[in-house]
Amino acid sequence: MNSFNAEIAKALAATGAFAEDAALKLISVPPDTSHGNFTIPCFSLAKTLRKAPKLIAEDLAAQVKLPAGLSKVEAVNGYLNFFIDRNFLAKETLDAIAAKGLEYGHAAPNGKVVCIDYSSPNIGKELAFHHLRSTMIGNSLARIYKAAGYKVERINHLGDWGTAFGKLIVMYLREKLPTDDATLDALTVKELNILYASFSKASKEEPGLEDEARAAFTKLEQGDAFYRKLWTAFRAATLKELMRIYDMMGVGFDHYTGESFFEDKIPAVLDELREKNLLVNSQERDVVMLDEFDLNPCLIRKSDGSTLYATRDLAAAIYRKKEYNFDKCLYVVDLGQALHFKQVFHVLKKMGREWYKDMYHIPFGVILQLVDGKWEKGKTRTGTASLLRDVIEAAQKKILEFIDEKNPTLENKELIARQIGISALTFNDLKNSRLKDVRFDWDAVMSFEGDTGPYVQNAHVRLCSIMRKAGYTVSASEADYSQLTDDAAYNLINILAKKGEKILGAVKDDEPSVLAQYALEIAEAAHKFIHEDRVLGSAEEKSRLFLVQSTQIVLENVLDLLGLFPIRQM
Ligand code: ARG
């Protein structure tokens, strides 16, 4: 509907009062459409025209030629208010939805590539509840960018390298666990979690253990075959469980290139840093100084020769640029790593990689849980944080109770309950600006009332249920748009028409919340329409059913762009 702004600006320019681009800047969309769909203040013209704004507006209202699709213009206290022709809007919007289907509002391919690094958990541990944020924000951004015309490379930069593996190896051998192939194949992430916890405990009493772990990792880095075999088993065990959860959540990746993948690409990075005289030896470590950017030095190599998280991120960035030639590379990682990414980006800058400007850290706030009456951030190490799989299970159980009460004979109710439960958790993560911390309150998140996943899911279910009950579908040519001009229908159509703008808005700020809020708007307007304009059995049945179908299509795709399951029945 953006084209209306341009048309209005053109028409105003034709009167000679406004310059076209000045008018375009001044036009806005008032929140309350009873004062028009577009409004422009005339105060800025008072000086040049030597007339009161109120009079200017009145003159212009009489003079301006209304662009197609607008029904009237009104002058009110120095403002010009333009009204959309409801019939025209219904036809434009609903015809387009019928023609484009789920892809209505999507942009044409723009030839650009975006890399999105998300989820990227550390191997050897189970996914904790807080991993949901990066996973679901990234998953949604990947879908939204695709809808906005980008080619998307979804990357899981697994934390599958580093001292943590030294710790696991040390502990595994200490506990004299069997290392035959069959045992290693059957290893589970649960067992690894236990090893990890016992390492943390033991190292408190034995300070030497940390050194042992570092030495074990160095040995692994140097290619020791036995250690490599253990590492491979640890990685596989974690990945198996990881995939199970991703599948359950409907999350996917194009590349599982974890930190270990970059091991053999690091020497070239070190050479380049040396050649460009960027490596400085400080306290026996190699660093890149970043004083000129007011940043601490970036650690590249430890005294024992082993490399670091940042080194692997440098190699990964250079690899991504070479492999995918991205226009943009996003890192959906918590706010706590802001300094790390600043350092990495600035080292790239010093290396002369001009594309460092196209790299973006997309941070987000933490999930807070109520512990003894206080909102707290959970920690995996101490075991107070819930595991993601436990949270998903609990969500499923809660929704299943609801279904058992309302619709006990529902087919596939276990699966549906899990999908609604996951969607509820996801929606709670996406509904507010991502930088805000998320306060997680079970009852509020799982409620069918308020700003929740179940509420938007339920709107979709209601639309589907009307379509099922109707038992037939309506095509665009069968709908009479003049029957869709009452307030409830018009308000809903006006919202559906904004889908394209909302997708671009979400991309502009890397904010899935723009679409989450949009889903709420659609759900609310749809409920209102269904409530006020009886569909089945009314004289306008066909036209109204056509609007129900159109709304269902838009809502289904918006849910999908958020990574929520578009449930049809509950
Ligand atoms: N594995 C890291 C962690 O769990 C996140 C990795 C994010 N991606 C990256 N390229 N550094 O903290």
Side-chain angles (χ1 to χ4, degrees), residues 117 120-122 157 159 259 309 313 320 331 333 337 340-341:
D117 176 327
S120 307
N122 292 334
H157 187 79
E259 294 185 40
Y309 183 48
D313 255 329
R320 287 174 195 176
Y331 296 85
V333 184
Q337 296 196 23
H340 163 75
F341 286 108

Side-chain angles (χ1 to χ4, degrees), residues 116 137-145 330 332 362 510-512:
I116 311 184
I137 293 171
N139 176 56
S140 176
L141 285 177
R143 291 160 187 251
I144 296 170
Y145 267 88
L330 312 183
V332 186
I362 309 296
D510 294 306
E511 269 292 358

Side-chain angles (χ1 to χ4, degrees), residues 117 134 141 309 329-343 345 356-365 434-435 509-510:
D117 176 327
S134 169
L141 285 177
Y309 183 48
C329 179
L330 312 183
Y331 296 85
V332 186
V333 184
D334 67 66
L335 190 57
Q337 296 196 23
L339 175 62
H340 163 75
F341 286 108
K342 269 195 200 135
Q343 290 177 317
F345 299 166
Y356 83 94
K357 294 196 284 330
D358 307 321
M359 323 260 297
Y360 299 89
H361 176 208
I362 309 296
F364 49 82
R434 61 182 153 74
L435 278 166
D509 297 331
D510 294 306

